[in-house]
Amino acid sequence: MKISRGAGKDPTRLIAGIAPSEYKVYDYLEQTAASTQTRDIAIEFVQKCKEYNLAKAEILNILNIRPSCEAALYPIIEDWDIRFSVEEGKEEEELGLLKTICQVLPPPPSVMESGEGIGVEEEDNPDEQQKKAVE
């Protein structure tokens, strides 16, 4: 008798011969920012990021994490201080990157949609705050 650890509780999942670990990965990815992105969105984002001279790994991390503020970009982009310093024009690049992220990438699935969080108001949503700050 096989023991399922919660990956295949849905009876429709018994049709395909897929390992329970693959279902767990799928269930996890449904809760991340990447779940709302399509191939077209990713391609458009990669094209728009060329002007910021980002490495492939940095672009991939931005796609996976979908940061919505400057502080979330610091650990993703190597040498942030040097590449996006306070020099003339660099600050505009930094804001441009954040604006590109907010415009091109869809917002991650909200906690309220999943039913896990109660009492999270729109004002507390960092994506909404970032959109207001960038505009």
PDB file of all heavy atoms in Angstrom, residues 98-135:
ATOM      1  N   LEU A  98      11.930  48.995 -11.638  1.00  0.00           N
ATOM      2  CA  LEU A  98      10.766  48.701 -10.792  1.00  0.00           C
ATOM      3  C   LEU A  98       9.458  48.918 -11.547  1.00  0.00           C
ATOM      4  O   LEU A  98       8.519  48.129 -11.423  1.00  0.00           O
ATOM      5  CB  LEU A  98      10.791  49.575  -9.535  1.00  0.00           C
ATOM      6  CG  LEU A  98      11.816  49.198  -8.478  1.00  0.00           C
ATOM      7  CD1 LEU A  98      11.872  50.245  -7.389  1.00  0.00           C
ATOM      8  CD2 LEU A  98      11.505  47.842  -7.892  1.00  0.00           C
ATOM      9  N   LYS A  99       9.415  49.954 -12.342  1.00  0.00           N
ATOM     10  CA  LYS A  99       8.216  50.245 -13.132  1.00  0.00           C
ATOM     11  C   LYS A  99       7.989  49.135 -14.155  1.00  0.00           C
ATOM     12  O   LYS A  99       6.855  48.694 -14.356  1.00  0.00           O
ATOM     13  CB  LYS A  99       8.366  51.599 -13.821  1.00  0.00           C
ATOM     14  CG  LYS A  99       7.111  52.105 -14.440  1.00  0.00           C
ATOM     15  CD  LYS A  99       7.305  53.519 -14.956  1.00  0.00           C
ATOM     16  CE  LYS A  99       6.006  54.062 -15.520  1.00  0.00           C
ATOM     17  NZ  LYS A  99       6.140  55.431 -16.002  1.00  0.00           N
ATOM     18  N   THR A 100       9.058  48.674 -14.785  1.00  0.00           N
ATOM     19  CA  THR A 100       8.951  47.579 -15.755  1.00  0.00           C
ATOM     20  C   THR A 100       8.421  46.324 -15.083  1.00  0.00           C
ATOM     21  O   THR A 100       7.550  45.639 -15.627  1.00  0.00           O
ATOM     22  CB  THR A 100      10.320  47.300 -16.405  1.00  0.00           C
ATOM     23  OG1 THR A 100      10.770  48.474 -17.068  1.00  0.00           O
ATOM     24  CG2 THR A 100      10.255  46.155 -17.382  1.00  0.00           C
ATOM     25  N   ILE A 101       8.935  46.019 -13.899  1.00  0.00           N
ATOM     26  CA  ILE A 101       8.478  44.836 -13.167  1.00  0.00           C
ATOM     27  C   ILE A 101       6.983  44.940 -12.879  1.00  0.00           C
ATOM     28  O   ILE A 101       6.223  44.001 -13.113  1.00  0.00           O
ATOM     29  CB  ILE A 101       9.279  44.659 -11.854  1.00  0.00           C
ATOM     30  CG1 ILE A 101      10.719  44.276 -12.169  1.00  0.00           C
ATOM     31  CG2 ILE A 101       8.631  43.611 -10.958  1.00  0.00           C
ATOM     32  CD1 ILE A 101      11.655  44.338 -10.974  1.00  0.00           C
ATOM     33  N   CYS A 102       6.556  46.097 -12.381  1.00  0.00           N
ATOM     34  CA  CYS A 102       5.145  46.275 -12.015  1.00  0.00           C
ATOM     35  C   CYS A 102       4.226  46.311 -13.236  1.00  0.00           C
ATOM     36  O   CYS A 102       3.076  45.878 -13.152  1.00  0.00           O
ATOM     37  CB  CYS A 102       4.973  47.543 -11.190  1.00  0.00           C
ATOM     38  SG  CYS A 102       5.683  47.414  -9.547  1.00  0.00           S
ATOM     39  N   GLN A 103       4.718  46.814 -14.362  1.00  0.00           N
ATOM     40  CA  GLN A 103       3.882  46.909 -15.556  1.00  0.00           C
ATOM     41  C   GLN A 103       3.793  45.600 -16.326  1.00  0.00           C
ATOM     42  O   GLN A 103       2.727  45.228 -16.795  1.00  0.00           O
ATOM     43  CB  GLN A 103       4.400  48.003 -16.482  1.00  0.00           C
ATOM     44  CG  GLN A 103       4.130  49.394 -15.989  1.00  0.00           C
ATOM     45  CD  GLN A 103       4.725  50.448 -16.923  1.00  0.00           C
ATOM     46  OE1 GLN A 103       5.550  50.149 -17.773  1.00  0.00           O
ATOM     47  NE2 GLN A 103       4.302  51.685 -16.733  1.00  0.00           N
ATOM     48  N   VAL A 104       4.905  44.908 -16.466  1.00  0.00           N
ATOM     49  CA  VAL A 104       4.935  43.720 -17.320  1.00  0.00           C
ATOM     50  C   VAL A 104       4.515  42.460 -16.567  1.00  0.00           C
ATOM     51  O   VAL A 104       3.721  41.670 -17.074  1.00  0.00           O
ATOM     52  CB  VAL A 104       6.339  43.533 -17.943  1.00  0.00           C
ATOM     53  CG1 VAL A 104       6.404  42.259 -18.761  1.00  0.00           C
ATOM     54  CG2 VAL A 104       6.710  44.732 -18.788  1.00  0.00           C
ATOM     55  N   LEU A 105       5.053  42.271 -15.383  1.00  0.00           N
ATOM     56  CA  LEU A 105       4.757  41.045 -14.646  1.00  0.00           C
ATOM     57  C   LEU A 105       3.447  41.176 -13.885  1.00  0.00           C
ATOM     58  O   LEU A 105       3.219  42.169 -13.200  1.00  0.00           O
ATOM     59  CB  LEU A 105       5.892  40.729 -13.666  1.00  0.00           C
ATOM     60  CG  LEU A 105       7.270  40.527 -14.279  1.00  0.00           C
ATOM     61  CD1 LEU A 105       8.275  40.216 -13.185  1.00  0.00           C
ATOM     62  CD2 LEU A 105       7.249  39.422 -15.310  1.00  0.00           C
ATOM     63  N   PRO A 106       2.584  40.173 -13.989  1.00  0.00           N
ATOM     64  CA  PRO A 106       1.332  40.232 -13.240  1.00  0.00           C
ATOM     65  C   PRO A 106       1.612  40.093 -11.749  1.00  0.00           C
ATOM     66  O   PRO A 106       2.618  39.504 -11.357  1.00  0.00           O
ATOM     67  CB  PRO A 106       0.539  39.044 -13.771  1.00  0.00           C
ATOM     68  CG  PRO A 106       1.551  38.120 -14.335  1.00  0.00           C
ATOM     69  CD  PRO A 106       2.705  38.958 -14.780  1.00  0.00           C
ATOM     70  N   PRO A 107       0.733  40.630 -10.913  1.00  0.00           N
ATOM     71  CA  PRO A 107       0.949  40.493  -9.475  1.00  0.00           C
ATOM     72  C   PRO A 107       0.857  39.038  -9.049  1.00  0.00           C
ATOM     73  O   PRO A 107       0.146  38.253  -9.691  1.00  0.00           O
ATOM     74  CB  PRO A 107      -0.176  41.326  -8.854  1.00  0.00           C
ATOM     75  CG  PRO A 107      -1.179  41.507  -9.921  1.00  0.00           C
ATOM     76  CD  PRO A 107      -0.474  41.365 -11.232  1.00  0.00           C
ATOM     77  N   PRO A 108       1.574  38.680  -7.993  1.00  0.00           N
ATOM     78  CA  PRO A 108       1.508  37.294  -7.520  1.00  0.00           C
ATOM     79  C   PRO A 108       0.128  37.001  -6.957  1.00  0.00           C
ATOM     80  O   PRO A 108      -0.624  37.913  -6.613  1.00  0.00           O
ATOM     81  CB  PRO A 108       2.571  37.234  -6.421  1.00  0.00           C
ATOM     82  CG  PRO A 108       2.806  38.635  -6.022  1.00  0.00           C
ATOM     83  CD  PRO A 108       2.472  39.496  -7.192  1.00  0.00           C
ATOM     84  N   PRO A 109      -0.223  35.716  -6.873  1.00  0.00           N
ATOM     85  CA  PRO A 109      -1.525  35.385  -6.303  1.00  0.00           C
ATOM     86  C   PRO A 109      -1.593  35.917  -4.872  1.00  0.00           C
ATOM     87  O   PRO A 109      -0.657  35.766  -4.096  1.00  0.00           O
ATOM     88  CB  PRO A 109      -1.577  33.860  -6.327  1.00  0.00           C
ATOM     89  CG  PRO A 109      -0.238  33.398  -6.738  1.00  0.00           C
ATOM     90  CD  PRO A 109       0.559  34.556  -7.215  1.00  0.00           C
ATOM     91  N   SER A 110      -2.684  36.567  -4.567  1.00  0.00           N
ATOM     92  CA  SER A 110      -2.778  37.200  -3.247  1.00  0.00           C
ATOM     93  C   SER A 110      -3.083  36.168  -2.172  1.00  0.00           C
ATOM     94  O   SER A 110      -3.606  35.093  -2.431  1.00  0.00           O
ATOM     95  CB  SER A 110      -3.854  38.279  -3.243  1.00  0.00           C
ATOM     96  OG  SER A 110      -5.126  37.686  -3.361  1.00  0.00           O
ATOM     97  N   VAL A 111      -2.752  36.523  -0.970  1.00  0.00           N
ATOM     98  CA  VAL A 111      -3.005  35.662   0.178  1.00  0.00           C
ATOM     99  C   VAL A 111      -4.511  35.523   0.392  1.00  0.00           C
ATOM    100  O   VAL A 111      -4.997  34.468   0.765  1.00  0.00           O
ATOM    101  CB  VAL A 111      -2.320  36.236   1.438  1.00  0.00           C
ATOM    102  CG1 VAL A 111      -2.632  35.394   2.655  1.00  0.00           C
ATOM    103  CG2 VAL A 111      -0.833  36.326   1.220  1.00  0.00           C
ATOM    104  N   MET A 112      -5.245  36.554   0.079  1.00  0.00           N
ATOM    105  CA  MET A 112      -6.692  36.512   0.266  1.00  0.00           C
ATOM    106  C   MET A 112      -7.352  35.518  -0.688  1.00  0.00           C
ATOM    107  O   MET A 112      -8.323  34.865  -0.326  1.00  0.00           O
ATOM    108  CB  MET A 112      -7.311  37.896   0.065  1.00  0.00           C
ATOM    109  CG  MET A 112      -6.967  38.886   1.149  1.00  0.00           C
ATOM    110  SD  MET A 112      -7.489  38.349   2.773  1.00  0.00           S
ATOM    111  CE  MET A 112      -9.253  38.566   2.606  1.00  0.00           C
ATOM    112  N   GLU A 113      -6.858  35.379  -1.894  1.00  0.00           N
ATOM    113  CA  GLU A 113      -7.441  34.446  -2.851  1.00  0.00           C
ATOM    114  C   GLU A 113      -7.265  33.011  -2.401  1.00  0.00           C
ATOM    115  O   GLU A 113      -8.118  32.171  -2.632  1.00  0.00           O
ATOM    116  CB  GLU A 113      -6.821  34.629  -4.228  1.00  0.00           C
ATOM    117  CG  GLU A 113      -7.240  35.894  -4.915  1.00  0.00           C
ATOM    118  CD  GLU A 113      -6.531  36.085  -6.245  1.00  0.00           C
ATOM    119  OE1 GLU A 113      -5.691  35.261  -6.625  1.00  0.00           O
ATOM    120  OE2 GLU A 113      -6.822  37.103  -6.882  1.00  0.00           O
ATOM    121  N   SER A 114      -6.157  32.722  -1.759  1.00  0.00           N
ATOM    122  CA  SER A 114      -5.912  31.361  -1.311  1.00  0.00           C
ATOM    123  C   SER A 114      -6.679  31.024  -0.043  1.00  0.00           C
ATOM    124  O   SER A 114      -6.763  29.870   0.335  1.00  0.00           O
ATOM    125  CB  SER A 114      -4.415  31.144  -1.085  1.00  0.00           C
ATOM    126  OG  SER A 114      -3.975  31.926   0.004  1.00  0.00           O
ATOM    127  N   GLY A 115      -7.233  32.060   0.615  1.00  0.00           N
ATOM    128  CA  GLY A 115      -8.021  31.830   1.817  1.00  0.00           C
ATOM    129  C   GLY A 115      -7.180  31.638   3.056  1.00  0.00           C
ATOM    130  O   GLY A 115      -7.695  31.333   4.120  1.00  0.00           O
ATOM    131  N   GLU A 116      -5.874  31.793   2.961  1.00  0.00           N
ATOM    132  CA  GLU A 116      -4.996  31.575   4.109  1.00  0.00           C
ATOM    133  C   GLU A 116      -4.904  32.789   5.013  1.00  0.00           C
ATOM    134  O   GLU A 116      -4.670  32.667   6.196  1.00  0.00           O
ATOM    135  CB  GLU A 116      -3.594  31.189   3.636  1.00  0.00           C
ATOM    136  CG  GLU A 116      -3.566  29.852   2.939  1.00  0.00           C
ATOM    137  CD  GLU A 116      -2.208  29.535   2.363  1.00  0.00           C
ATOM    138  OE1 GLU A 116      -1.260  30.284   2.638  1.00  0.00           O
ATOM    139  OE2 GLU A 116      -2.100  28.549   1.639  1.00  0.00           O
ATOM    140  N   GLY A 117      -5.053  33.969   4.452  1.00  0.00           N
ATOM    141  CA  GLY A 117      -4.909  35.183   5.249  1.00  0.00           C
ATOM    142  C   GLY A 117      -6.243  35.862   5.465  1.00  0.00           C
ATOM    143  O   GLY A 117      -7.087  35.905   4.592  1.00  0.00           O
ATOM    144  N   ILE A 118      -6.418  36.359   6.643  1.00  0.00           N
ATOM    145  CA  ILE A 118      -7.645  37.076   6.956  1.00  0.00           C
ATOM    146  C   ILE A 118      -7.252  38.441   7.488  1.00  0.00           C
ATOM    147  O   ILE A 118      -6.343  38.564   8.296  1.00  0.00           O
ATOM    148  CB  ILE A 118      -8.482  36.320   8.009  1.00  0.00           C
ATOM    149  CG1 ILE A 118      -8.874  34.958   7.437  1.00  0.00           C
ATOM    150  CG2 ILE A 118      -9.694  37.117   8.428  1.00  0.00           C
ATOM    151  CD1 ILE A 118      -9.575  34.068   8.424  1.00  0.00           C
ATOM    152  N   GLY A 119      -7.929  39.463   6.998  1.00  0.00           N
ATOM    153  CA  GLY A 119      -7.699  40.803   7.505  1.00  0.00           C
ATOM    154  C   GLY A 119      -6.615  41.574   6.782  1.00  0.00           C
ATOM    155  O   GLY A 119      -6.204  42.616   7.240  1.00  0.00           O
ATOM    156  N   VAL A 120      -6.112  41.084   5.676  1.00  0.00           N
ATOM    157  CA  VAL A 120      -5.117  41.819   4.905  1.00  0.00           C
ATOM    158  C   VAL A 120      -5.861  42.816   4.042  1.00  0.00           C
ATOM    159  O   VAL A 120      -6.663  42.444   3.199  1.00  0.00           O
ATOM    160  CB  VAL A 120      -4.273  40.873   4.022  1.00  0.00           C
ATOM    161  CG1 VAL A 120      -3.286  41.669   3.191  1.00  0.00           C
ATOM    162  CG2 VAL A 120      -3.549  39.869   4.872  1.00  0.00           C
ATOM    163  N   GLU A 121      -5.605  44.077   4.281  1.00  0.00           N
ATOM    164  CA  GLU A 121      -6.300  45.114   3.540  1.00  0.00           C
ATOM    165  C   GLU A 121      -5.480  45.518   2.334  1.00  0.00           C
ATOM    166  O   GLU A 121      -4.274  45.262   2.257  1.00  0.00           O
ATOM    167  CB  GLU A 121      -6.543  46.320   4.439  1.00  0.00           C
ATOM    168  CG  GLU A 121      -7.471  45.987   5.587  1.00  0.00           C
ATOM    169  CD  GLU A 121      -7.702  47.187   6.486  1.00  0.00           C
ATOM    170  OE1 GLU A 121      -7.243  48.283   6.160  1.00  0.00           O
ATOM    171  OE2 GLU A 121      -8.344  47.005   7.507  1.00  0.00           O
ATOM    172  N   GLU A 122      -6.125  46.174   1.396  1.00  0.00           N
ATOM    173  CA  GLU A 122      -5.467  46.601   0.168  1.00  0.00           C
ATOM    174  C   GLU A 122      -4.299  47.536   0.465  1.00  0.00           C
ATOM    175  O   GLU A 122      -3.292  47.516  -0.206  1.00  0.00           O
ATOM    176  CB  GLU A 122      -6.485  47.292  -0.735  1.00  0.00           C
ATOM    177  CG  GLU A 122      -5.978  47.508  -2.133  1.00  0.00           C
ATOM    178  CD  GLU A 122      -7.047  48.037  -3.039  1.00  0.00           C
ATOM    179  OE1 GLU A 122      -7.191  49.283  -3.085  1.00  0.00           O
ATOM    180  OE2 GLU A 122      -7.718  47.247  -3.699  1.00  0.00           O
ATOM    181  N   GLU A 123      -4.415  48.344   1.529  1.00  0.00           N
ATOM    182  CA  GLU A 123      -3.351  49.279   1.882  1.00  0.00           C
ATOM    183  C   GLU A 123      -2.084  48.551   2.285  1.00  0.00           C
ATOM    184  O   GLU A 123      -0.988  49.058   2.133  1.00  0.00           O
ATOM    185  CB  GLU A 123      -3.799  50.175   3.043  1.00  0.00           C
ATOM    186  CG  GLU A 123      -5.013  51.012   2.708  1.00  0.00           C
ATOM    187  CD  GLU A 123      -5.645  51.590   3.951  1.00  0.00           C
ATOM    188  OE1 GLU A 123      -5.194  51.244   5.066  1.00  0.00           O
ATOM    189  OE2 GLU A 123      -6.579  52.369   3.822  1.00  0.00           O
ATOM    190  N   ASP A 124      -2.225  47.327   2.822  1.00  0.00           N
ATOM    191  CA  ASP A 124      -1.080  46.562   3.277  1.00  0.00           C
ATOM    192  C   ASP A 124      -0.398  45.816   2.134  1.00  0.00           C
ATOM    193  O   ASP A 124       0.650  45.222   2.330  1.00  0.00           O
ATOM    194  CB  ASP A 124      -1.501  45.548   4.343  1.00  0.00           C
ATOM    195  CG  ASP A 124      -2.035  46.238   5.588  1.00  0.00           C
ATOM    196  OD1 ASP A 124      -1.642  47.389   5.863  1.00  0.00           O
ATOM    197  OD2 ASP A 124      -2.848  45.619   6.274  1.00  0.00           O
ATOM    198  N   ASN A 125      -0.991  45.804   0.957  1.00  0.00           N
ATOM    199  CA  ASN A 125      -0.442  45.096  -0.177  1.00  0.00           C
ATOM    200  C   ASN A 125       0.752  45.875  -0.737  1.00  0.00           C
ATOM    201  O   ASN A 125       0.595  46.972  -1.247  1.00  0.00           O
ATOM    202  CB  ASN A 125      -1.526  44.928  -1.245  1.00  0.00           C
ATOM    203  CG  ASN A 125      -1.064  44.057  -2.399  1.00  0.00           C
ATOM    204  OD1 ASN A 125       0.119  43.794  -2.556  1.00  0.00           O
ATOM    205  ND2 ASN A 125      -2.015  43.612  -3.196  1.00  0.00           N
ATOM    206  N   PRO A 126       1.975  45.305  -0.691  1.00  0.00           N
ATOM    207  CA  PRO A 126       3.161  46.036  -1.160  1.00  0.00           C
ATOM    208  C   PRO A 126       3.108  46.332  -2.656  1.00  0.00           C
ATOM    209  O   PRO A 126       3.652  47.330  -3.109  1.00  0.00           O
ATOM    210  CB  PRO A 126       4.329  45.115  -0.827  1.00  0.00           C
ATOM    211  CG  PRO A 126       3.742  43.793  -0.522  1.00  0.00           C
ATOM    212  CD  PRO A 126       2.318  44.001  -0.143  1.00  0.00           C
ATOM    213  N   ASP A 127       2.447  45.481  -3.446  1.00  0.00           N
ATOM    214  CA  ASP A 127       2.344  45.741  -4.886  1.00  0.00           C
ATOM    215  C   ASP A 127       1.546  47.001  -5.142  1.00  0.00           C
ATOM    216  O   ASP A 127       1.899  47.801  -5.999  1.00  0.00           O
ATOM    217  CB  ASP A 127       1.692  44.564  -5.610  1.00  0.00           C
ATOM    218  CG  ASP A 127       2.622  43.377  -5.705  1.00  0.00           C
ATOM    219  OD1 ASP A 127       3.845  43.609  -5.793  1.00  0.00           O
ATOM    220  OD2 ASP A 127       2.136  42.238  -5.684  1.00  0.00           O
ATOM    221  N   GLU A 128       0.443  47.176  -4.429  1.00  0.00           N
ATOM    222  CA  GLU A 128      -0.377  48.371  -4.602  1.00  0.00           C
ATOM    223  C   GLU A 128       0.396  49.613  -4.171  1.00  0.00           C
ATOM    224  O   GLU A 128       0.329  50.655  -4.819  1.00  0.00           O
ATOM    225  CB  GLU A 128      -1.690  48.252  -3.816  1.00  0.00           C
ATOM    226  CG  GLU A 128      -2.614  47.173  -4.333  1.00  0.00           C
ATOM    227  CD  GLU A 128      -3.059  47.434  -5.761  1.00  0.00           C
ATOM    228  OE1 GLU A 128      -3.317  48.600  -6.107  1.00  0.00           O
ATOM    229  OE2 GLU A 128      -3.139  46.472  -6.533  1.00  0.00           O
ATOM    230  N   GLN A 129       1.121  49.527  -3.066  1.00  0.00           N
ATOM    231  CA  GLN A 129       1.908  50.662  -2.585  1.00  0.00           C
ATOM    232  C   GLN A 129       2.984  51.017  -3.596  1.00  0.00           C
ATOM    233  O   GLN A 129       3.235  52.178  -3.875  1.00  0.00           O
ATOM    234  CB  GLN A 129       2.546  50.332  -1.230  1.00  0.00           C
ATOM    235  CG  GLN A 129       1.545  50.216  -0.105  1.00  0.00           C
ATOM    236  CD  GLN A 129       2.205  49.744   1.173  1.00  0.00           C
ATOM    237  OE1 GLN A 129       3.372  49.405   1.205  1.00  0.00           O
ATOM    238  NE2 GLN A 129       1.431  49.730   2.254  1.00  0.00           N
ATOM    239  N   GLN A 130       3.640  49.979  -4.183  1.00  0.00           N
ATOM    240  CA  GLN A 130       4.705  50.221  -5.141  1.00  0.00           C
ATOM    241  C   GLN A 130       4.146  50.868  -6.411  1.00  0.00           C
ATOM    242  O   GLN A 130       4.755  51.773  -6.960  1.00  0.00           O
ATOM    243  CB  GLN A 130       5.423  48.919  -5.486  1.00  0.00           C
ATOM    244  CG  GLN A 130       6.582  49.100  -6.433  1.00  0.00           C
ATOM    245  CD  GLN A 130       7.656  49.993  -5.870  1.00  0.00           C
ATOM    246  OE1 GLN A 130       7.900  50.005  -4.675  1.00  0.00           O
ATOM    247  NE2 GLN A 130       8.286  50.768  -6.710  1.00  0.00           N
ATOM    248  N   LYS A 131       2.990  50.394  -6.884  1.00  0.00           N
ATOM    249  CA  LYS A 131       2.401  50.971  -8.094  1.00  0.00           C
ATOM    250  C   LYS A 131       2.096  52.453  -7.883  1.00  0.00           C
ATOM    251  O   LYS A 131       2.329  53.276  -8.756  1.00  0.00           O
ATOM    252  CB  LYS A 131       1.115  50.229  -8.468  1.00  0.00           C
ATOM    253  CG  LYS A 131       1.383  48.888  -9.109  1.00  0.00           C
ATOM    254  CD  LYS A 131       0.094  48.208  -9.488  1.00  0.00           C
ATOM    255  CE  LYS A 131       0.349  46.828 -10.031  1.00  0.00           C
ATOM    256  NZ  LYS A 131      -0.888  46.119 -10.328  1.00  0.00           N
ATOM    257  N   LYS A 132       1.577  52.780  -6.697  1.00  0.00           N
ATOM    258  CA  LYS A 132       1.277  54.176  -6.394  1.00  0.00           C
ATOM    259  C   LYS A 132       2.557  55.005  -6.330  1.00  0.00           C
ATOM    260  O   LYS A 132       2.578  56.153  -6.789  1.00  0.00           O
ATOM    261  CB  LYS A 132       0.509  54.271  -5.070  1.00  0.00           C
ATOM    262  CG  LYS A 132      -0.901  53.720  -5.175  1.00  0.00           C
ATOM    263  CD  LYS A 132      -1.581  53.743  -3.830  1.00  0.00           C
ATOM    264  CE  LYS A 132      -2.952  53.079  -3.912  1.00  0.00           C
ATOM    265  NZ  LYS A 132      -3.581  52.993  -2.605  1.00  0.00           N
ATOM    266  N   ALA A 133       3.627  54.433  -5.768  1.00  0.00           N
ATOM    267  CA  ALA A 133       4.885  55.166  -5.630  1.00  0.00           C
ATOM    268  C   ALA A 133       5.553  55.391  -6.994  1.00  0.00           C
ATOM    269  O   ALA A 133       6.136  56.439  -7.236  1.00  0.00           O
ATOM    270  CB  ALA A 133       5.833  54.408  -4.706  1.00  0.00           C
ATOM    271  N   VAL A 134       5.475  54.398  -7.871  1.00  0.00           N
ATOM    272  CA  VAL A 134       6.113  54.501  -9.176  1.00  0.00           C
ATOM    273  C   VAL A 134       5.361  55.459 -10.081  1.00  0.00           C
ATOM    274  O   VAL A 134       5.952  56.209 -10.842  1.00  0.00           O
ATOM    275  CB  VAL A 134       6.229  53.099  -9.837  1.00  0.00           C
ATOM    276  CG1 VAL A 134       6.687  53.214 -11.275  1.00  0.00           C
ATOM    277  CG2 VAL A 134       7.179  52.233  -9.044  1.00  0.00           C
ATOM    278  N   GLU A 135       4.036  55.442 -10.000  1.00  0.00           N
ATOM    279  CA  GLU A 135       3.234  56.337 -10.846  1.00  0.00           C
ATOM    280  C   GLU A 135       3.305  57.710 -10.299  1.00  0.00           C
ATOM    281  O   GLU A 135       3.582  58.691 -10.638  1.00  0.00           O
ATOM    282  CB  GLU A 135       1.779  55.878 -10.865  1.00  0.00           C
ATOM    283  CG  GLU A 135       1.642  54.534 -11.562  1.00  0.00           C
ATOM    284  CD  GLU A 135       0.241  53.966 -11.426  1.00  0.00           C
ATOM    285  OE1 GLU A 135      -0.614  54.576 -10.745  1.00  0.00           O
ATOM    286  OE2 GLU A 135       0.006  52.911 -11.992  1.00  0.00           O
TER     287      GLU A 135
END
